[in-house]
Amino acid sequence: ETGRLPLACDAHELAGTPVYMAPEMLGGKGHLLGAWTDVYQVGAVLYEIVNGEPPHKKGDFQEIIESVVKSEPVFDDAVPSELADIVRRAMAPRIEDRFEDIRQLVAALKAWREHRASVRLAREVEPRLRRLLAALSSTDERDEEVQRAERYNLFGAVRFGFQQALSEWPENRGARQGLDQAVEAMVRAELNRGEPIGASAFLADHSAPPPELRQEVDAQLAAKQVERVRLEELERINHAEDPMTGRRMRLIIGASLALFW
């Protein structure tokens, strides 16, 4: 405030390194600069660390400016989704969507580092999940029971892996989504086989079952119950009409009367 150095709030022209620039730094918006601008630029440096180049490194100056305005960072597949989410929040184009200050950003990064074991474990399970989904959608002509046993074994491994990741970090979104995806696939496979009881058992592992899937399971369970009652009634009628059954009953009654006499 001595006046020896210019203040950011007095900026009226574009200033800064374009490839790291926040939208509010494009000029004439000095009153919008603040701690959130620092958050954005730390996020931009973090983007370069994980992706290998600055976020707004484009062809010409016009493209750079367009990238600054949009601020939609794209990440390589090798970047963990949780870390990518932290960078996206730090570089959000809307000021109110960013971390409030650097302390919040640092806290998010520390939390991610603490949970990396859980994230790594979930990522190791993903190949098995893909194998499970492929097995459930295949038209293999091998013995059905053999295929079913393989699918159950695969699901058991997938379920165990994701649950281990969630036990390390209950907020692991990737592990939760992976487990839910595996559960939904198994539920639909059981429904296609006409096994709603098995489908209902699998559905218990879903964090938030889709209403339509729950309705389909309930509908098949109800239909199964109706069919069971119908078969029991048919069996009772057949048993009553069986001549051998009637003969046995007459013999029992006759023997009882003879004994009484």
Side-chain angles (χ1 to χ4, degrees):
E1 297 180 355
T2 61
R4 296 178 61 187
L5 296 172
L7 300 178
C9 61
D10 295 329
H12 299 292
E13 297 178 356
L14 185 148
T17 306
V19 293
Y20 302 96
M21 194 174 289
E24 63 269 22
M25 297 174 65
L26 289 175
K29 301 178 182 179
H31 62 289
L32 294 179
L33 303 182
W36 46 87
T37 308
D38 296 330
V39 168
Y40 185 102
Q41 294 194 295
V42 170
V45 173
L46 183 58
Y47 177 93
E48 183 175 14
I49 291 172
V50 300
N51 250 25
E53 62 180 19
H56 307 308
K57 185 178 180 180
K58 306 298 177 182
D60 56 31
F61 189 71
Q62 181 62 35
E63 290 177 345
I64 291 175
I65 297 302
E66 290 175 0
S67 177
V68 172
V69 172
K70 292 180 180 178
S71 289
E72 296 175 346
V74 178
F75 296 88
D76 186 88
D77 291 340
V79 178
S81 58
E82 291 78 10
L83 180 57
D85 287 344
I86 292 173
V87 180
R88 286 192 184 97
R89 183 178 174 187
M91 293 182 60
R94 287 165 26 107
I95 291 171
E96 55 269 30
D97 293 335
R98 299 177 199 164
F99 295 100
E100 291 182 6
D101 53 35
I102 295 296
R103 292 184 186 88
Q104 276 195 4
L105 174 55
V106 170
L109 285 172
K110 285 183 176 179
W112 172 75
R113 289 182 60 187
E114 291 172 1
H115 301 137
R116 274 190 298 182
S118 173
V119 173
R120 183 168 56 251
L121 182 56
R123 290 175 76 92
E124 290 173 355
V125 180
E126 289 174 359
R128 289 195 183 96
L129 174 60
R130 289 193 291 270
R131 284 174 54 199
L132 172 64
L133 298 177
L136 291 172
S137 61
S138 72
T139 55
D140 197 334
E141 296 181 356
R142 290 180 302 154
D143 182 75
E144 173 61 25
E145 289 304 314
V146 173
Q147 293 185 63
R148 190 181 186 196
E150 290 178 356
R151 294 164 184 170
Y152 270 58
N153 288 337
L154 264 176
F155 175 76
V158 168
R159 179 177 180 270
F160 177 78
F162 283 136
Q163 286 186 336
Q164 284 292 105
L166 288 168
S167 67
E168 292 276 343
W169 181 28
E171 287 77 33
N172 187 333
R173 189 178 60 187
R176 173 50 61 190
Q177 290 176 345
L179 179 57
D180 287 348
Q181 188 179 6
V183 167
E184 285 189 38
M186 291 298 290
V187 169
R188 296 191 187 283
E190 291 294 291
L191 290 176
N192 290 337
R193 295 181 63 254
E195 297 289 349
I197 296 176
S200 180
F202 282 120
L203 203 59
D205 281 326
H206 202 295
S207 60
E212 64 277 6
L213 190 59
R214 167 62 70 184
Q215 290 170 7
E216 191 174 349
V217 171
D218 291 344
Q220 281 205 26
L221 283 172
K224 200 83 169 178
Q225 175 67 10
V226 170
E227 180 67 13
R228 187 179 66 81
V229 171
R230 187 182 71 83
L231 290 175
E232 288 177 353
E233 181 64 18
L234 284 175
E235 185 178 352
R236 186 186 65 79
I237 293 172
N238 291 335
H239 183 74
E241 292 178 351
D242 185 352
M244 292 302 294
T245 302
R247 184 180 178 187
R248 284 194 298 271
M249 184 61 68
R250 287 192 295 272
L251 286 173
I252 292 172
I253 292 174
S256 300
L257 288 174
L259 180 62
F260 178 73
W261 177 258

XYZ file of all heavy atoms in Angstrom, residues 220-253:
283
model
N -40.100 -59.641 -10.776
C -39.784 -61.054 -11.010
C -39.939 -61.889 -9.740
O -40.359 -63.048 -9.798
C -38.368 -61.196 -11.571
C -38.247 -60.902 -13.054
C -37.042 -61.601 -13.688
O -36.578 -62.628 -13.213
N -36.561 -61.033 -14.787
N -39.619 -61.300 -8.586
C -39.817 -62.016 -7.327
C -41.292 -62.310 -7.103
O -41.666 -63.423 -6.680
C -39.254 -61.192 -6.165
C -37.738 -61.186 -5.973
C -37.342 -60.178 -4.904
C -37.223 -62.582 -5.592
N -42.144 -61.310 -7.394
C -43.587 -61.495 -7.230
C -44.108 -62.570 -8.184
O -44.913 -63.429 -7.802
C -44.319 -60.179 -7.466
N -43.637 -62.538 -9.430
C -44.062 -63.532 -10.417
C -43.603 -64.928 -9.997
O -44.330 -65.917 -10.162
C -43.505 -63.181 -11.793
N -42.401 -65.008 -9.432
C -41.871 -66.292 -8.966
C -42.725 -66.833 -7.828
O -42.999 -68.039 -7.764
C -40.440 -66.093 -8.495
C -39.611 -67.367 -8.434
C -39.053 -67.697 -9.797
C -38.014 -68.790 -9.731
N -37.505 -69.153 -11.064
N -43.176 -65.956 -6.942
C -44.007 -66.376 -5.820
C -45.357 -66.888 -6.313
O -45.855 -67.916 -5.836
C -44.200 -65.197 -4.854
C -45.135 -65.468 -3.694
C -44.573 -66.505 -2.729
O -43.407 -66.883 -2.832
N -45.403 -66.980 -1.813
N -45.956 -66.173 -7.276
C -47.236 -66.604 -7.849
C -47.094 -67.979 -8.495
O -47.947 -68.864 -8.331
C -47.747 -65.571 -8.878
C -48.936 -66.123 -9.658
C -48.118 -64.272 -8.184
N -45.998 -68.178 -9.241
C -45.756 -69.466 -9.896
C -45.569 -70.577 -8.868
O -46.062 -71.695 -9.053
C -44.520 -69.353 -10.794
C -44.152 -70.628 -11.529
C -45.179 -71.043 -12.568
O -46.064 -70.219 -12.899
O -45.085 -72.185 -13.045
N -44.881 -70.287 -7.774
C -44.667 -71.296 -6.738
C -45.988 -71.720 -6.110
O -46.243 -72.915 -5.897
C -43.722 -70.755 -5.667
C -43.297 -71.790 -4.629
C -42.338 -71.196 -3.614
N -42.985 -70.184 -2.795
C -43.749 -70.460 -1.740
N -43.957 -71.720 -1.376
N -44.298 -69.505 -1.035
N -46.853 -70.723 -5.804
C -48.167 -71.034 -5.216
C -48.999 -71.871 -6.180
O -49.675 -72.830 -5.783
C -48.898 -69.724 -4.854
C -50.339 -70.011 -4.446
C -48.167 -69.002 -3.732
N -48.937 -71.538 -7.478
C -49.704 -72.276 -8.484
C -49.237 -73.723 -8.562
O -50.046 -74.658 -8.625
C -49.569 -71.606 -9.848
C -50.467 -72.195 -10.943
C -50.240 -71.500 -12.258
N -48.952 -71.849 -12.830
C -48.747 -72.969 -13.550
N -49.737 -73.818 -13.771
N -47.562 -73.219 -14.050
N -47.919 -73.922 -8.545
C -47.389 -75.282 -8.609
C -47.752 -76.087 -7.366
O -48.055 -77.290 -7.451
C -45.868 -75.229 -8.784
C -45.361 -74.722 -10.139
C -43.837 -74.603 -10.133
C -45.812 -75.632 -11.275
N -47.715 -75.439 -6.203
C -48.101 -76.129 -4.975
C -49.565 -76.545 -5.020
O -49.929 -77.630 -4.556
C -47.840 -75.231 -3.761
C -46.365 -75.049 -3.436
C -46.139 -74.099 -2.275
O -47.135 -73.480 -1.825
O -44.992 -73.966 -1.814
N -50.415 -75.677 -5.578
C -51.841 -75.996 -5.695
C -52.059 -77.166 -6.651
O -52.862 -78.076 -6.377
C -52.600 -74.760 -6.174
C -54.106 -74.945 -6.308
C -54.778 -75.227 -4.976
O -54.184 -74.956 -3.916
O -55.920 -75.729 -5.003
N -51.333 -77.135 -7.784
C -51.439 -78.245 -8.738
C -50.991 -79.555 -8.113
O -51.601 -80.609 -8.316
C -50.597 -77.940 -9.984
C -51.179 -76.927 -10.978
C -50.173 -76.638 -12.088
C -52.488 -77.455 -11.582
N -49.916 -79.495 -7.334
C -49.421 -80.699 -6.680
C -50.431 -81.228 -5.677
O -50.642 -82.442 -5.561
C -48.091 -80.390 -5.986
C -47.436 -81.613 -5.365
C -46.100 -81.292 -4.713
O -45.633 -80.156 -4.880
O -45.547 -82.182 -4.042
N -51.088 -80.319 -4.972
C -52.105 -80.743 -3.992
C -53.281 -81.413 -4.684
O -53.773 -82.470 -4.241
C -52.587 -79.533 -3.189
C -53.540 -79.884 -2.043
C -54.089 -78.631 -1.402
N -54.921 -77.885 -2.340
C -56.186 -78.213 -2.626
N -56.750 -79.278 -2.056
N -56.888 -77.487 -3.458
N -53.716 -80.813 -5.827
C -54.851 -81.379 -6.558
C -54.494 -82.752 -7.114
O -55.267 -83.710 -7.010
C -55.279 -80.422 -7.695
C -55.857 -79.136 -7.091
C -56.288 -81.083 -8.625
C -56.132 -78.062 -8.113
N -53.308 -82.854 -7.709
C -52.871 -84.134 -8.267
C -52.769 -85.203 -7.188
O -53.093 -86.365 -7.395
C -51.530 -83.982 -8.981
C -51.647 -83.157 -10.250
O -52.730 -83.080 -10.846
N -50.549 -82.540 -10.666
N -52.289 -84.778 -6.032
C -52.146 -85.724 -4.927
C -53.511 -86.230 -4.482
O -53.688 -87.424 -4.211
C -51.421 -85.042 -3.764
C -51.154 -85.950 -2.604
N -50.177 -86.925 -2.647
C -51.748 -86.049 -1.380
C -50.164 -87.578 -1.495
N -51.117 -87.071 -0.709
N -54.494 -85.302 -4.434
C -55.847 -85.689 -4.000
C -56.519 -86.599 -5.013
O -57.315 -87.474 -4.657
C -56.687 -84.431 -3.770
N -56.232 -86.410 -6.303
C -56.888 -87.195 -7.352
C -56.146 -88.482 -7.671
O -56.594 -89.283 -8.496
C -56.997 -86.350 -8.625
C -57.955 -85.180 -8.466
C -58.029 -84.327 -9.719
O -57.206 -84.570 -10.621
O -58.904 -83.447 -9.780
N -55.014 -88.715 -7.054
C -54.227 -89.915 -7.315
C -54.994 -91.135 -6.800
O -55.301 -91.236 -5.603
C -52.877 -89.808 -6.596
C -51.962 -90.970 -6.937
O -52.420 -91.919 -7.599
O -50.780 -90.904 -6.528
N -55.351 -92.123 -7.686
C -56.122 -93.291 -7.232
C -55.411 -94.087 -6.152
O -56.038 -94.639 -5.261
C -56.297 -94.119 -8.516
C -55.218 -93.651 -9.438
C -55.027 -92.210 -9.102
N -54.097 -94.162 -6.225
C -53.359 -94.883 -5.202
C -53.505 -94.208 -3.852
O -53.618 -94.856 -2.816
C -51.892 -94.980 -5.593
C -51.622 -95.871 -6.793
S -52.221 -97.552 -6.519
C -51.128 -98.072 -5.190
N -53.505 -92.849 -3.914
C -53.699 -92.104 -2.667
C -55.060 -92.399 -2.079
O -55.214 -92.623 -0.874
C -53.540 -90.599 -2.930
O -52.245 -90.350 -3.473
C -53.700 -89.799 -1.650
N -56.111 -92.409 -2.956
C -57.474 -92.709 -2.485
C -57.582 -94.122 -1.940
O -58.249 -94.368 -0.919
N -56.924 -95.072 -2.590
C -56.968 -96.466 -2.132
C -56.315 -96.597 -0.764
O -56.828 -97.293 0.131
C -56.266 -97.348 -3.163
C -56.345 -98.827 -2.806
C -55.633 -99.649 -3.859
N -55.651 -101.061 -3.511
C -55.004 -102.005 -4.157
N -54.276 -101.668 -5.232
N -55.056 -103.267 -3.777
N -55.170 -95.939 -0.616
C -54.489 -95.993 0.679
C -55.366 -95.410 1.781
O -55.425 -95.935 2.891
C -53.158 -95.240 0.602
C -52.057 -96.004 -0.138
C -50.690 -95.378 0.123
N -50.619 -94.008 -0.373
C -50.245 -93.700 -1.610
N -49.945 -94.669 -2.477
N -50.176 -92.451 -1.989
N -56.052 -94.299 1.433
C -56.909 -93.656 2.423
C -58.057 -94.587 2.827
O -58.400 -94.708 4.003
C -57.453 -92.336 1.863
C -58.280 -91.538 2.857
S -57.314 -91.081 4.322
C -56.149 -89.929 3.596
N -58.647 -95.302 1.833
C -59.750 -96.219 2.133
C -59.271 -97.374 3.011
O -59.967 -97.811 3.930
C -60.360 -96.744 0.834
C -61.190 -95.689 0.078
C -62.015 -96.323 -1.036
N -61.163 -96.899 -2.095
C -60.725 -96.209 -3.135
N -61.043 -94.931 -3.263
N -59.959 -96.788 -4.049
N -58.071 -97.867 2.712
C -57.524 -98.952 3.516
C -57.300 -98.516 4.961
O -57.569 -99.267 5.906
C -56.209 -99.435 2.899
C -56.342 -100.271 1.615
C -54.958 -100.542 1.005
C -57.057 -101.594 1.898
N -56.792 -97.307 5.114
C -56.546 -96.792 6.475
C -57.862 -96.674 7.247
O -57.968 -97.063 8.412
C -55.817 -95.434 6.407
C -54.383 -95.644 5.861
C -55.771 -94.771 7.773
C -53.659 -94.360 5.568
N -58.878 -96.103 6.561
C -60.184 -95.922 7.226
C -60.776 -97.291 7.577
O -61.311 -97.516 8.676
C -61.132 -95.110 6.309
C -60.607 -93.682 6.182
C -62.548 -95.120 6.899
C -61.385 -92.853 5.191
